[in-house]
Amino acid sequence: MIQFFNVTKIYKGDIYALKDITVKIDKGEFVFLVGPSGAGKTTFIRLLFREELPTKGQILIAGRSITRLRSKEIPFLRRNIGVVFQDFRLLPDRTVYENVAFALQVLEVPPKEIKARVEEVLAQVGLSGRAHLFPHQLSGGEQQRTAIARAIVNRPRILVADEPTGNLDPATSREIISLLLDINRLGTTVIMATHAWDIVNSLKKRVIALDKGRLVRDDKEGVYGYEA
Amino acid sequence: MRLRTWGYFFRQAFLSLWRNAWMSVAASTSVAVTLFILGAFILLVLNINFIALALQSNLEIAVFLRVDTPRSQALALKQQMESLPGVKEVELVPKEQGLKILAQQLGEEELLEATGGVNPLPDYLRVRVEDPARIGEVAAILQNLPAVEKVNYGQAVVERLLAVLRWVRYLGVGIIGMLAVASLMLLMITIRLAVYARRREINIMKYVGATDWFIRWPFLLEGLFIGLIGGGIAAGVLLWGYTSLTYKIKLSLFFLPLLEDNTVLHYTALGLVGGGACVGAVGSLLAIHRFLKV
């Protein structure tokens, strides 16, 4: 599903964010991306949904090179990849329902279908009763659920989460992780960058560890391996 | 794009105009002022052209004969000139009439006495040509006829007029260019503010896979609308101003030929509205360009 071939990313001023990364992630996998701050986790994610281009190397998604995409094709790549961030990135002047529906509106989905799909996905993340509240009326966990609902409402095949539990307390973090696991069980490939070593250790999922831009470890049923 | 999507675009555009109401008003006004000056300049240049053309068609060649030319030869010359190609009509002004005209112009009734009873003026012929542009060629032929002392067709005036006209045009293009850039900048600042206010939204749209044009259209419409309003105000004020100004000028400076062709006036006004729309659209596209690079 996702293949990195010798991917190197150098930012301005000779800063190596990623060095010679080669990795393969299969369809339906759940992968933790771990490592200390500045290890290159966020760059890895940005490369995935083509916010950045690699300096060297090749990235394939579903067999297609995404480095050779024309800028007109980028939106269509992104429709297959949902993204969730640490800071939620919800629109503060819109309700939960509107925030999720927005993702379908901009794709010109018919209103009837929008309504059905938003209601379905809100039920899936457990926010059916909170649809008409604004983000500031929600807890952190609920805000992140809204963001996840927005990311998956278009039924993408890949869900990418950049430290989705970074702003949440441990109990809420576990809820969010179990939601991501549920989504994964329904067939979506999930890639999650995280600092939450306890969660990583307890789940025994695949762990890709980065340090100073290098791939230092890739375990099938891994542990965090660092004291966070 | 579906019809429903266009509805969304227009709603977003007007919402943004309303949210930044003061900025929208400021931008429209600025566009209106610049376009008005632009339009005024265009009309000025058109009028100078028109006046120049009118003057040219009134041009005539004054052919002065030698003082001692007998009247019979003068009449023969008149006939000869009338048969020349390019000559429209020839009028003989005998020296007696010439003296009368001069006396009238000077306000001196007894001019003849002042010159000691001798008329010092020669007979002269007023020659009108068919094509004002070829007046120089005809004048050269006339110069070579026998008994012709001097030929005068106001060459210096015509050339000076054309030079002035040329400079007015250069100046016009320069001013038009500067004004266009100024109004473009103003629009860019306005739209950039609107874009900046909605940068989170744009960011999310990009992440969920909205196309760039889907994101652009509302801002493009907003800019277009500001430009159209500005152009409309400019065109309206210009039409009204020009009509009342030409009316007043006609009352006091009735000899001045002015352009009163409504077609030209309406095209100028239409041009201003179109120009406003273009400035609005281009300004928006430039303003949003940076924000789409995500």
Side-chain angles (χ1 to χ4, degrees), chain A residues 6 8 27 31 36 47 75 80 89 93 102 104-105 113 121 137 140 153 156 162 175 177 183 188 190 206 214:
Chain A
N6 306 100
T8 297
K27 195 176 172 195
V31 181
L47 288 171
N80 286 309
R89 303 204 186 169
D93 58 343
F102 181 66
L104 294 177
Q105 263 168 17
E113 204 182 327
V121 81
Q137 296 169 304
V153 70
D162 191 3
E175 285 172 29
I177 299 283
I183 292 164
T188 308
V190 177
R206 181 175 174 190
R214 290 192 179 280

Side-chain angles (χ1 to χ4, degrees), chain A residues 49 79 89-90 94 108, chain B residues 2 5 200-201 204 207 209:
Chain A
F49 66 95
R79 290 175 194 191
R89 303 204 186 169
L90 300 173
R94 298 182 200 203
E108 298 184 67
Chain B
R2 294 172 192 170
T5 308
R200 290 171 64 99
E201 213 173 304
I204 292 163
Y207 284 146

Side-chain angles (χ1 to χ4, degrees), chain A residues 27-56:
Chain A
K27 195 176 172 195
E29 271 197 270
F30 190 108
V31 181
F32 283 118
L33 199 59
V34 302
S37 293
K41 302 188 296 290
T42 299
T43 302
F44 189 99
I45 281 170
R46 283 187 170 169
L47 288 171
L48 260 185
F49 66 95
R50 188 55 158 76
E51 188 169 354
E52 308 257 15
L53 274 172
T55 314
K56 278 182 228 157

Side-chain angles (χ1 to χ4, degrees), chain B residues 55-71:
Chain B
L55 283 182
Q56 269 182 356
S57 65
N58 280 332
L59 282 180
E60 57 185 27
I61 307 172
V63 182
F64 296 96
L65 303 179
R66 286 199 199 93
V67 179
D68 56 1
T69 312
R71 182 63 41 84

Side-chain angles (χ1 to χ4, degrees), chain B residues 203-218:
Chain B
N203 206 251
I204 292 163
M205 286 200 231
K206 292 283 299 189
Y207 284 146
V208 299
T211 59
D212 282 355
W213 274 106
F214 187 93
I215 300 170
R216 267 190 209 116
W217 267 113

Side-chain angles (χ1 to χ4, degrees), chain A:
Chain A
M1 172 115 256
I2 300 166
Q3 288 165 287
F4 276 51
F5 292 106
N6 306 100
V7 171
T8 297
K9 176 69 187 178
I10 309 168
Y11 286 112
K12 258 182 211 154
D14 267 0
I15 299 159
Y16 278 75
L18 287 178
K19 279 184 197 166
D20 202 25
I21 302 285
T22 298
V23 76
K24 184 170 173 242
I25 297 169
D26 286 322
K27 195 176 172 195
E29 271 197 270
F30 190 108
V31 181
F32 283 118
L33 199 59
V34 302
S37 293
K41 302 188 296 290
T42 299
T43 302
F44 189 99
I45 281 170
R46 283 187 170 169
L47 288 171
L48 260 185
F49 66 95
R50 188 55 158 76
E51 188 169 354
E52 308 257 15
L53 274 172
T55 314
K56 278 182 228 157
Q58 191 56 255
I59 300 171
L60 302 185
I61 291 182
R64 265 203 86 183
S65 163
I66 67 162
T67 59
R68 297 211 188 109
L69 285 182
R70 280 176 290 142
S71 56
K72 272 194 170 181
E73 298 175 303
I74 295 173
F76 300 96
L77 165 77
R78 291 186 179 163
R79 290 175 194 191
N80 286 309
I81 305 177
V83 218
V84 176
F85 300 95
Q86 181 175 1
D87 57 357
F88 320 136
R89 303 204 186 169
L90 300 173
L91 295 172
D93 58 343
R94 298 182 200 203
T95 63
V96 167
Y97 181 92
E98 287 164 343
N99 263 289
V100 178
F102 181 66
L104 294 177
Q105 263 168 17
V106 301
L107 304 182
E108 298 184 67
V109 175
K112 263 191 185 170
E113 204 182 327
I114 290 180
K115 190 167 182 289
R117 277 163 72 174
V118 172
E119 280 168 4
E120 180 193 326
V121 81
L122 284 180
Q124 190 184 344
V125 301
L127 284 176
S128 290
R130 318 286 274 166
H132 297 288
L133 296 180
F134 287 90
H136 67 91
Q137 296 169 304
L138 302 174
S139 70
E142 287 170 328
Q143 289 187 45
Q144 193 60 295
R145 284 166 187 275
T146 310
I148 291 170
R150 182 181 64 197
I152 62 169
V153 70
N154 188 38
R155 298 170 186 153
R157 293 154 75 187
I158 301 169
L159 178 64
V160 185
D162 191 3
E163 302 199 23
T165 61
N167 282 347
L168 305 172
D169 60 66
T172 313
S173 295
R174 288 189 176 279
E175 285 172 29
I176 293 296
I177 299 283
S178 84
L179 177 58
L180 292 178
L181 286 168
D182 287 345
I183 292 164
N184 175 241
R185 268 192 285 274
L186 292 172
T188 308
T189 308
V190 177
I191 298 160
M192 172 177 166
T194 186
H195 275 130
W197 57 274
D198 53 331
I199 292 173
V200 175
N201 290 346
S202 68
L203 284 174
K204 302 274 187 259
K205 290 283 182 185
R206 181 175 174 190
V207 173
I208 294 173
L210 298 173
D211 190 20
K212 292 180 185 130
R214 290 192 179 280
L215 184 96
V216 293
R217 202 155 49 82
D218 186 354
D219 297 336
K220 265 270 170 277
E221 288 182 12
V223 290
Y224 196 94
Y226 298 89
E227 291 305 311

